[in-house]
Amino acid sequence: MEPPLITLSNISKTYREGKTEVKALENVSLVVNKGETVGIIGESGCGKTTLSQITLGLLKQDTGHVRMIDENGKKLDEKLFYQTISSVFQDPWGSLNPRMSIFNSIAEPLVITRNFDKHEIKKRVYQVIDQVQLNTELLDKYPHTLSGGQRQRAAIARALISDPTLIILDEPTSALDVSVQAQILNLLKDLQEQNNLSYIFISHDLPVVMYLSHRIAVLYRGQIIEEGSSTDLMGQQIHPYTKQLFSSAFGKNKLDKAILDEVLDSSDQKVGCIYEFRCPEKLTQCANEAPNLIKVDSGREVACFLQPQKQTETK
């Protein structure tokens, strides 16, 4: 069996300000295979962006490690790691320098990390521009003259320029109109097939994540509480929080924001389940015992005492 492209093992991160500590991530483990999209979903403040920043090397984890392999199954050194991983963020204003032309913005990663001459850089820029279906006439223009969809296509081209194997997509469509969102999502799917790309797709928009992802991890207060294929999760949710997310996303019941705010503002460290305060299906043991992430027969992993009986602990 082919090894995973990237493995995140027991990642933890705590933010500290004075005497206040907030656990952004706690023992998060995740693998992404070649050509696969893994979606990360959860409410604001659950740790999604922290996880993406650690994966990209923009933020240092307190514990755990991130390991990426090459085509021969060997661990990449730091230099090659940063050449084979890239990102697309929610607002392309954050990744496109307003003082640089679209051409120079797209080419910048090659200028910084590769010893390419001007001819090679120009050739590569035109290749990725064609892939993202952006008109070459826009290359001499500046970000403020482009539409939101055009800027995001330029940001995707910039992510592709160094020929990565993994792209972190952090809310890449949430700032776009619905019709443009669909175009960008279809483009990302096409690019994945053409280039055998792997994606980590981070969003709070569950229908969008379901559309693009092969597998989904549900993050709550810095912990993965359920993980499985998008097909399995759409068919049946096991964890009560996952049920609530799906119910809210697909128009049945909205999340209770008052309870959410109270939970997220709480700095106390519970000894039991982190979801016990909100859970409508909690058991007596939930208040005093934290469930482990367990692999169930369906191939899913769930951190809940309400699981099917046959199970083996995996983490």
Side-chain angles (χ1 to χ4, degrees):
M1 185 177 179
E2 193 173 19
L5 173 67
I6 189 168
T7 303
L8 283 68
S9 300
N10 300 315
I11 301 295
S12 294
K13 178 66 179 179
T14 299
Y15 293 109
R16 297 175 176 85
E17 185 174 347
K19 296 182 178 180
T20 303
E21 293 188 353
V22 177
K23 286 188 177 181
L25 296 172
E26 187 173 0
N27 295 322
V28 171
S29 295
L30 190 72
V31 300
V32 182
N33 299 306
K34 291 181 180 178
E36 179 184 41
T37 299
V38 176
I40 311 292
I41 62 172
E43 298 158 307
S44 298
C46 70
K48 301 188 300 294
T49 297
T50 297
L51 184 62
S52 71
Q53 291 177 339
I54 288 174
T55 306
L56 287 165
L58 301 176
L59 188 66
K60 181 66 177 176
Q61 66 270 25
D62 297 332
T63 61
H65 67 267
V66 179
R67 181 179 184 270
M68 196 168 183
I69 63 166
D70 61 18
E71 58 185 12
N72 298 314
K74 295 182 179 180
K75 182 180 178 181
L76 293 179
D77 61 30
E78 187 171 327
K79 181 179 179 180
L80 287 175
F81 177 89
Y82 292 122
Q83 290 180 358
T84 56
I85 187 170
S86 60
S87 58
V88 178
F89 296 106
Q90 176 179 356
D91 185 359
W93 282 110
S95 56
L96 299 177
N97 189 327
R99 297 184 178 182
M100 294 176 66
S101 69
I102 297 301
F103 180 94
N104 288 333
S105 289
I106 293 172
E108 188 179 27
L110 284 187
V111 175
I112 294 173
T113 64
R114 306 290 176 89
N115 188 27
F116 283 10
D117 61 32
K118 291 183 178 179
H119 174 74
E120 290 174 313
I121 290 174
K122 183 176 181 180
K123 180 180 178 181
R124 181 62 182 152
V125 169
Y126 273 79
Q127 285 176 342
V128 295
I129 280 294
D130 181 62
Q131 284 186 302
V132 301
Q133 302 164 22
L134 196 64
N135 196 315
T136 55
E137 294 178 356
L138 299 176
L139 289 175
D140 292 329
K141 297 186 179 297
Y142 289 81
H144 72 276
T145 66
L146 274 61
S147 68
Q150 289 171 332
R151 284 195 296 268
Q152 197 61 298
R153 288 177 188 271
I156 294 171
R158 177 186 166 92
L160 290 172
I161 194 75
S162 58
D163 196 23
T165 55
L166 174 68
I167 299 180
I168 310 296
L169 305 168
D170 194 347
E171 303 276 9
T173 62
S174 62
L176 305 174
D177 293 338
V178 174
S179 60
V180 180
Q181 280 188 18
Q183 295 172 15
I184 296 298
L185 289 172
N186 288 329
L187 173 64
L188 290 169
K189 271 197 168 187
D190 292 341
L191 291 172
Q192 184 172 48
E193 294 177 3
Q194 294 166 12
N195 299 284
N196 194 29
L197 292 168
S198 298
Y199 295 145
I200 294 179
F201 187 36
I202 296 171
S203 180
H204 67 278
D205 191 332
L206 184 53
V208 169
V209 176
M210 292 292 293
Y211 175 74
L212 196 66
S213 303
H214 301 97
R215 191 157 45 87
I216 293 174
V218 182
L219 200 62
Y220 180 73
R221 296 191 72 185
Q223 297 181 31
I224 293 178
I225 50 90
E226 185 163 0
E227 181 184 339
S229 73
S230 57
T231 302
D232 284 347
L233 280 173
M234 191 66 196
Q236 181 189 24
Q237 306 89 45
I238 297 176
H239 197 286
Y241 176 65
T242 311
K243 294 177 185 177
Q244 191 176 19
L245 273 183
F246 273 74
S247 179
S248 177
F250 294 102
K252 296 178 183 178
N253 297 295
K254 295 299 180 184
L255 291 168
D256 190 333
K257 189 177 185 301
I259 294 179
L260 170 62
D261 291 341
E262 186 172 350
V263 172
L264 292 180
D265 288 342
S266 175
S267 60
D268 63 317
Q269 303 301 314
K270 290 180 63 62
V271 295
C273 175
I274 56 172
Y275 190 62
E276 185 264 345
F277 184 83
R278 295 171 67 184
C279 185
E281 303 178 58
K282 60 187 175 185
L283 306 173
T284 303
Q285 67 188 115
C286 298
N288 302 306
E289 184 180 352
N292 295 313
L293 194 59
I294 299 294
K295 190 170 185 177
V296 299
D297 287 345
S298 64
R300 213 179 315 189
E301 293 179 328
V302 187
C304 183
F305 294 121
L306 294 171
Q307 301 171 55
Q309 294 301 308
K310 291 184 179 180
Q311 51 195 21
T312 55
E313 186 173 329
T314 60
K315 295 176 185 177

